[in-house]
Amino acid sequence: MGTQTYANHRRFVPLYHFVLTLLVLLTIGGALVNAYRAYLRDSGRLVAALILLLAVCALLEGAYLRIFALKAQDRAIRAEENLRHFALYGSLLDSRLDTRQIIGLRFASDAEFGPLAQRAAEEKLSEDAIKKAVKEWRADHYRV
């Protein structure tokens, strides 16, 4: 895997984000139609309800699997950036920084990391504002 940058840090996995989501939603739609028909014909209601329940469980499971993985990744990023700040400056990051701000800071070079972290905490910069500041700093300092 290559180095993560601002340009490539967000990832979409087509089979997960598009195909699987579409299939689960279609399954829920089909299960709803099946449950409605079972209700009209007054038979097979239990089976139809169980199929619908399983389809909804598949949707919830897919969503929570993604949420849990992202939360673990966010905690790892927070720990990495706290360690980086401690190694560079002898103290942990400002406690006013939230997770999204810290994720934005991870793209900063060591030279800009401390001042930008302090600015982000004081000015309550958003993740995107921090990323924009990183780009501007690099444009100012690395002109070829």
Side-chain angles (χ1 to χ4, degrees), residues 24-67:
V24 170
L25 291 175
L26 288 173
T27 302
I28 291 173
L32 284 168
V33 169
N34 184 45
Y36 178 71
R37 288 181 178 170
Y39 177 77
L40 289 180
R41 60 175 189 264
D42 201 26
S43 68
R45 289 181 182 171
L46 179 61
V47 173
L50 289 174
I51 292 170
L52 180 59
L53 180 65
L54 285 172
V56 170
C57 286
L59 179 69
L60 291 174
E61 183 178 24
Y64 277 111
L65 285 172
R66 183 75 177 148
I67 290 167

Side-chain angles (χ1 to χ4, degrees), residues 85 94 96-97 105 113-123:
H85 195 272
D94 192 315
R96 294 176 293 174
L97 292 170
L105 285 169
F113 183 60
L116 186 55
Q118 184 176 356
R119 182 176 157 215
E122 289 170 359
E123 297 177 19

Side-chain angles (χ1 to χ4, degrees), residues 4-6 9-10 69-82 84 93 97-108 113 116 120 125-131 134:
Q4 191 173 58
T5 65
Y6 177 75
H9 78 287
R10 291 193 178 174
L70 289 174
K71 290 284 185 187
Q73 183 180 7
D74 289 350
R75 283 192 298 270
I77 291 168
R78 180 178 277 279
E80 289 170 356
E81 296 308 306
N82 255 318
R84 179 180 173 201
L93 284 167
L97 292 170
D98 65 24
T99 301
R100 300 312 311 166
Q101 289 173 306
I102 293 171
I103 289 170
L105 285 169
R106 69 195 291 228
F107 300 102
F113 183 60
L116 186 55
L125 297 177
S126 69
E127 177 184 5
D128 288 334
I130 293 167
K131 290 176 185 177
V134 168

